[in-house]
Each structure stands twice: as structure tokens, then as C-alpha cells.
Amino acid sequence: MTFTITSLAERPDRWPAVCDMADSRPVFVTEDLVGAACFPRIAAELPAYVLYAENEDGEVVATAHSVPFALHAPGRGDLPARGWDQVLTWAFADLRAGVRPDTVSAIAVTVAPHAQGRGLSALMLTAMRENARAHGFGEVVAPVRPSAKHLQPRTPVEEYVRRVRPDGLPEDPWMRVHARAGATVERVAPASMTVSASLEQWRRWTGLPFDTDGPVEVPGALVPVHCDVEGGHAVYVEPNVWMRHPL
């Protein structure tokens, strides 16, 4: 099967289909307040950085979102410990202030559940790189969410991201896709995304009781969620790993 990749800048009428594409991310991941506020703005304000893939039937089966930002603006320079959340806020602050961007950050590559296993994630990552190059950028950075880390939620992320196979590529599948595309690991972003919510919300999202203080292992979470029964809330702080793609 062949796929056609287009940007929303070219086809703004396809936004409903892009928005409605099914995805397999855990529900709680979409409840990060920074992401909830900023992610929809990418399509509205930066449509040239929203790519989508259609199959031969015209169905949207994968998307790739990225944002341009000024990494080397005064007071920045280093890839931030707050990863995904920070780069989103930087990107839209720069856009509002008219600051010229110098780098593109990946934000999300999503493949519809029924289309997974066909190499679409690598295809969309390549398209994102090519799109950044076409817009005159020399580098893409990515706050990568290691795709198999949720199977080992209590393994320290610094240890996990150092694991490599005999061929020298990362053990984690999604990190490996980035490495094959030419990326290298820069650093861990220990607080890339934060989801803080009431215990009732966490119970609704996960089906778990959340009735014991301390770390709770949640399916799909990269690290345990911290539960405070007396306080009536739980907090998930997700680590990602920054990877750099020279173009």
C-alpha cells in the first residue's frame, strides 16, 4: 500500500479528518494542561507543520505535528528539562512575539491503531525532517516518549535510555526509529509532561481504585503515578528523552 503525505497548509479542509483520526495513546496523556492548551493551536496557527498521511482510499492513517521555536534565544540554549511542555510554550510565545525560530521540535507522530506495523511512524518522522529542511532549518529536536518504557515503569529512565542492542541501536523501539533516521540522544527531560488531577478523574481514566498512598503503576504510564489519598489527588510526571536530528 502506498501513502500520500500532505500538510494542512496545503489542504486545510482535511483538518476534521486529521482531528478525528483514532489514536491509541492512554487517555490521561491527553490531559496534560499545557498540551491541551497548545496542541490544537498547531493546526490553527502553524498548519505547515502538521503533516498527515492518507492511504489509497483517502483515509487519514497517520499524523505528524512539529513546531518551530528559537532554541538559541537569550536565556535558552539548552534543551529544557521540562521537555514537551516547555517547547510548546516557547514555540507559541515566540510566535506571539514575532521571534524568529531557529529550530524545529517534533511534538507528536501518531498512527491509527489499525494502520500500525506498516512503517508509518518512520515514514512520518522522515517527512517531518524533510518539511523542516524545506522551511530552511538545519536541525530537528524531539522530546521522545520511549514506546516500551511503560513495560518497565520502575526502571530509572536514565538507565532505560542507555540500553542498546548488539548493533548499537537503542533497545527502545521508538528511540530506535529516531536513531535510524540519524538522531542521537542528548539528555533526559525528567519532567516533560505533568498531569495532576483528582482521584476521581484518575479512577475514571484508568479503572484503577487509587485508594493507596504512594506510587501506582498505570497501564501506559512510563513511570508510576503518585497518589495522595488524603489530599484527594494524584500526579503523573512523565520523563522523555531529547534526541537531536541534524538535517
Side-chain angles (χ1 to χ4, degrees):
M1 180 174 287
T2 59
F3 301 98
T4 302
I5 298 176
T6 314
S7 77
L8 278 184
E10 299 170 277
R11 289 288 308 275
D13 59 298
R14 295 299 282 156
W15 167 236
V18 169
C19 187
D20 292 342
M21 188 194 80
D23 102 56
S24 56
R25 292 178 299 170
V27 173
F28 64 86
V29 172
T30 66
E31 299 293 333
D32 168 70
L33 292 181
V34 174
C38 294
F39 191 79
R41 295 178 61 188
I42 303 175
E45 301 177 48
L46 296 165
Y49 296 88
V50 180
L51 308 177
Y52 66 91
E54 291 180 308
N55 62 18
E56 294 168 343
D57 297 323
E59 177 190 13
V60 175
V61 292
T63 62
H65 291 69
S66 59
V67 292
F69 73 109
L71 175 59
H72 301 292
R76 301 181 188 174
D78 294 326
L79 293 172
R82 290 185 58 220
W84 199 76
D85 281 356
Q86 185 68 77
V87 78
L88 278 169
T89 57
W90 279 351
F92 286 103
D94 291 346
L95 185 64
R96 182 174 62 251
V99 176
R100 183 174 182 175
D102 53 45
T103 307
V104 169
S105 177
I107 295 298
V109 172
T110 307
V111 179
H114 70 279
Q116 292 175 2
R118 303 179 187 178
L120 273 166
S121 60
L123 183 67
M124 297 307 290
L125 180 59
T126 297
M128 182 189 293
R129 286 166 47 95
E130 292 175 351
N131 189 57
R133 186 185 294 111
H135 281 86
F137 293 95
E139 181 179 53
V140 169
V141 295
V144 176
R145 187 177 198 266
S147 60
K149 176 66 173 69
H150 69 101
L151 301 174
Q152 303 176 46
R154 294 185 184 265
T155 299
V157 66
E158 292 277 5
E159 174 187 333
Y160 180 86
V161 303
R162 287 197 300 268
R163 294 177 179 173
V164 296
R165 306 189 313 178
D167 62 3
L169 291 172
E171 193 174 278
D172 182 82
W174 187 219
M175 289 179 63
R176 193 160 61 245
V177 171
H178 281 264
R180 282 178 171 149
T184 56
V185 172
E186 175 79 5
R187 62 176 295 192
V188 166
S192 194
M193 173 190 295
T194 301
V195 180
S196 179
S198 71
L199 298 185
E200 285 303 318
Q201 288 173 296
W202 279 103
R203 290 166 184 148
R204 185 168 65 251
W205 296 335
T206 66
L208 298 175
F210 276 90
D211 56 3
T212 304
D213 283 334
V216 178
E217 293 187 15
V218 172
L222 306 192
V223 295
V225 176
H226 182 76
C227 177
D228 180 348
V229 175
E230 183 177 354
H233 71 276
V235 180
Y236 173 61
V237 181
E238 178 170 292
N240 291 165
V241 54
W242 279 112
M243 299 186 73
R244 286 184 180 271
H245 288 259
L247 301 179

